[in-house]
Amino acid sequence: MIPFFDLSRQHQLLGQELTGPVSQILLSGSCVLGPEVQALEFEIAKACGTRHAFGVSNGTDALVLALTACGIGPGDEVVTTPFTFLSTASAISRVGAVPVFADIDPDSLNLDVKAAEAVCGRRAKAILPVHLFGLPCDLGAFSELAKSKSVRLIEDMAQAFGASWKGNPVGSWGDIGCISFYPTKVIGAAGDAGAVVASDLEIASHLQRLRVHGTGADGLHRDVGGNFRIDSVQAAVLRAKLPHLHEWLETRRRHSLAYLNGLAGTDFVLPSDADGRVWSHFCLRHPQRDDVRQYLLSKEISTAVYYSVPLHLQPCFADLGYRSGDFPVAEAASREILALPLFPELLDEERDQVIEALLEFDRGST
Ligand SMILES: Cc1ncc(COP(=O)(O)O)c(C=O)c1O
């Protein structure tokens, strides 16, 4: 079986380089936060071009923390995309605010700036775009929009660590960038982990306090925060992997370009190799997506579907009152998107088998 993703290959290749620092942390007795986390935060801030970074428990908590640090709560609205992982919108609900969805752009599959502008009303306090599948949003346009509406810009960069827009890293454009280090991400921990990045000192201090129950330097709790801390072991894992990020992103791109070249001229709608993107996923589109998936499975090739039900139609958001047909572009993407195997340790032969199977499907269906 050709796996969709296989972290064991990466961990086996890293071997001692990974297990050495982890053992050291275990033997040191450091468990939560500590010097290893501080060192990681320095490296994350550098990579994201921000003044501050804070390691947190996971990408979902990063979003909750970011929204809370921006003072967003009951009565507020946050404009976001319906075509993303649940967390982007559930974090908004968790702080008591209302997610307001706008449709996506049919080419990039990212939140459409004009559509976002149209629903960014009086109650809106933030815009929360997602750099989906590693492709940066038009951050210039979103920054302008946020400024013109006097709202915060929070970047969900869970899938786009290492990406940049117009030469500047994602995460450095908004007020806060929210990162996931879930094991399947371009750089993944050995469990749950995440981070928030920001440059404004006041926002950064707020994030830092909220991460540990709103505790100030004087020991008093002026805000009700939470336990959003990251473990020292996860920091050690991430620090062991960070030096490989560039090479891994290059290999992901090499595989993606091979997919693009191999599938050119077929009925598959292919993603673009845009400047500054990272290839966290390789997602193509086909009107018979489920048949394609079944065909690949019959050839022992695993794939994944993102996101078969867009967020405005998820039962947990039923009380928001959206209906099928409200966001036709997102709904079509939900029916058509298929993600192919893509990770740095994918073998060239495996990738070529995927291409061959897709070409067979294309020949048979045309
Ligand atoms: C776009 C997006 N936002 C947020 C998250 C949440 O991250 P985590 O799983 O680390 O909580 C994910 C994770 O898949 C994601 O893809």
Side-chain angles (χ1 to χ4, degrees), residues 31-33 37 40-41 44 53-66 87 94 158 177-183 185 187-197 207-208 210-213 225-235 238:
C31 297
V32 177
L33 298 179
V37 170
L40 173 72
E41 291 171 344
I44 294 172
F54 300 104
V56 299
S57 29
N58 54 65
T60 307
D61 284 348
L63 289 160
V64 171
L65 205 52
S87 300
R94 279 177 60 195
C178 301
I179 304 167
S180 167
F181 292 122
Y182 185 73
K185 303 301 186 207
I187 177 146
D192 281 309
V196 284
V197 291
L207 286 167
Q208 194 173 22
L210 289 167
R211 175 174 65 169
V212 190
H213 302 290
N227 174 359
F228 296 116
R229 298 177 304 228
I230 185 174
D231 298 339
S232 324
V233 162
Q234 298 307 346
L238 291 164

Side-chain angles (χ1 to χ4, degrees), residues 7 70 78 91 108 167 192 218 226 239 243 287 350 365:
L7 194 59
C70 289
V78 177
S108 67
D192 281 309
D218 55 5
R239 290 196 70 217
E350 292 175 319
S365 67

Side-chain angles (χ1 to χ4, degrees), residues 242-270:
L242 265 174
H244 294 275
L245 180 66
H246 182 69
E247 149 211 341
W248 288 340
L249 291 177
E250 278 303 309
T251 314
R252 283 174 173 274
R253 179 160 186 262
R254 189 169 59 73
H255 285 315
S256 300
L257 293 184
Y259 279 140
L260 288 176
N261 288 332
L263 299 170
T266 62
D267 283 349
F268 298 107
V269 178
L270 302 173

Side-chain angles (χ1 to χ4, degrees), residues 155-179:
E155 297 177 55
D156 182 340
M157 52 179 291
Q159 302 180 3
F161 188 78
S164 58
W165 174 258
K166 305 263 185 239
N168 292 318
V170 303
S172 67
W173 290 77
D175 294 287
I176 303 178
C178 301
I179 304 167

